Amino acid sequence: MPLTKAEWLALEKKANELRNLCLDTTYWAGSGHIGGGLSVMDILTVLYYKYMNIKVEDPKWDDRDRFILSKGHAGIAYAPVLCDKGFNDKEMLKTFNLSGSKMGMHLDSNKVVGVDASTGSLGHGMSIAVGTALAARLLGKDYKTYVVLGDGECDEGSNWEAAMSASHYKVTNMISFVDRNKCMIDGRTEDVMKLEPFCDKWTAFGFIVKEIDGNNIKELCEAIDFALENKTDKPVMIVCNTLKGCGIDFIEDNYLWHYGAFDDEKYHKAKDALAASYAKRVARAEKEGV
């Protein structure tokens, strides 16, 4: 069903609130993986506030959709989502990654409500997702599994083993995303370990590939709708071209902000940048939405 202007604007509002909460969490923690957190936030927003079939009051509901954040270091974005949805108390964000907190840098499924898999050791998320998707088939369940990989993480061979398995076993109830912000901890992805032609690789591994602007709410919704309507026996991979640090202009597309900290001056400057970015995004939705 086409995204209405009202839905688009509501999702933009929520994404902006979550970006601000991600910044706040980074500020309270003293530092964090904010670059990749902000690049993935639109994907998280669209999944959790439009598509995923979940119950906050019953987080272990057997028929819930599953979500695997393979790029587990983006927990600083994921934690605000899980708190905003009501799975966890927002006050927990004020102690994110501090001694004694249940919320570590990489979220633990045994400590943080709503997390389906503990991740952080990169390259494992898609393997877990293939497993949960196959489990649904064996159990006769119709839930979906959504998995988000980082592009730097795709240097790990285990991802490609999982991709072969997904294709071989026709795991079409798994919808995959790569947060393709083209930056990783040590530099640009194409300088550290060349990934291109990236989409062609996924196609060769048996996926239907949709390449989109992953910081565009409308394009994300269209791609997910396509994946949900997929009637073939091939799984869908959505390659999301994003900006590291999306929304804060002075850190955008800079690998040095894979992990970073904000003093008071930078924090307030970042708040202003997020407000300006949000205004532009609202203007785009007003112009292009129907």
Side-chain angles (χ1 to χ4, degrees):
M1 189 172 179
L3 183 73
T4 67
K5 181 189 288 189
E7 285 181 304
W8 190 350
L9 288 168
L11 288 168
E12 290 288 6
K13 183 175 184 292
K14 181 55 64 177
N16 178 60
E17 291 171 357
L18 292 168
R19 279 194 166 87
N20 275 278
L21 198 50
C22 179
L23 172 62
D24 292 343
T25 304
T26 306
Y27 181 69
W28 294 326
S31 59
H33 294 92
I34 190 168
L38 293 177
S39 65
V40 80
M41 191 62 88
D42 294 302
I43 302 170
L44 296 177
T45 301
V46 166
L47 288 177
Y48 272 89
Y49 295 85
K50 179 171 171 61
Y51 287 99
M52 286 179 59
N53 185 24
I54 52 179
K55 292 181 179 180
V56 173
E57 71 278 10
D58 188 4
K60 295 295 186 181
W61 178 43
D62 285 346
D63 295 319
R64 75 189 185 280
D65 287 340
R66 270 62 168 177
F67 175 77
I68 313 296
L69 183 65
S70 191
K71 50 172 287 179
H73 54 284
I76 205 151
Y78 191 24
V81 172
L82 294 174
C83 289
D84 185 75
K85 286 294 291 186
F87 285 109
N88 301 274
D89 188 341
K90 280 189 179 180
E91 287 298 306
M92 294 171 67
L93 297 175
K94 294 181 179 178
T95 61
F96 185 90
N97 204 43
L98 302 181
S99 296
S101 176
K102 289 185 176 181
M103 287 192 170
M105 190 63 70
H106 304 91
L107 301 185
D108 186 333
S109 62
N110 293 313
K111 296 179 180 179
V112 183
V113 181
V115 177
D116 286 315
S118 304
T119 57
S121 184
L122 296 173
H124 296 175
M126 180 169 272
S127 296
I128 298 171
V130 170
T132 62
L134 288 173
R137 181 186 297 172
L138 290 170
L139 295 170
K141 302 284 189 180
D142 62 1
Y143 67 76
K144 304 294 185 200
T145 295
Y146 297 90
V147 58
V148 178
L149 287 70
D151 53 359
E153 176 185 12
C154 290
D155 291 351
E156 298 275 2
S158 50
N159 288 302
W160 303 102
E161 294 178 46
M164 284 192 291
S165 296
S167 176
H168 179 77
Y169 292 109
K170 301 177 175 59
V171 185
T172 55
N173 58 342
M174 177 186 77
I175 299 174
S176 307
F177 304 78
V178 174
D179 180 20
R180 183 77 168 110
N181 61 36
K182 301 179 179 66
C183 295
M184 53 196 297
I185 191 169
D186 290 326
R188 308 288 297 183
T189 57
E190 300 311 286
D191 295 332
V192 176
M193 181 66 69
K194 186 178 179 181
L195 290 170
E196 295 297 342
F198 193 53
C199 292
D200 291 347
K201 288 182 170 69
W202 288 104
T203 300
F205 273 77
F207 282 68
I208 298 172
V209 180
K210 297 287 286 186
E211 185 176 15
I212 65 166
D213 176 353
N215 295 131
N216 184 311
I217 297 289
K218 183 171 183 286
E219 290 192 25
L220 277 165
C221 291
E222 289 172 347
I224 296 169
D225 287 341
F226 171 86
L228 290 171
E229 294 164 8
N230 175 31
K231 302 300 183 187
T232 75
D233 61 3
K234 293 184 176 183
V236 174
M237 167 56 75
I238 303 172
V239 175
C240 301
N241 292 306
T242 63
L243 275 176
K244 196 95 166 180
C246 182
I248 302 178
D249 54 3
F250 64 91
I251 74 170
E252 283 183 343
D253 199 34
N254 185 347
Y255 78 86
L256 294 175
W257 277 93
H258 177 85
Y259 187 95
F262 293 81
D263 58 20
D264 288 348
E265 182 182 356
K266 282 191 175 72
Y267 172 74
H268 292 296
K269 185 180 177 182
K271 284 284 183 180
D272 291 341
L274 286 174
S277 174
Y278 176 53
K280 290 179 182 177
R281 291 171 66 119
V282 167
R284 179 176 63 186
E286 290 282 7
K287 180 180 178 181
E288 299 178 14
V290 293

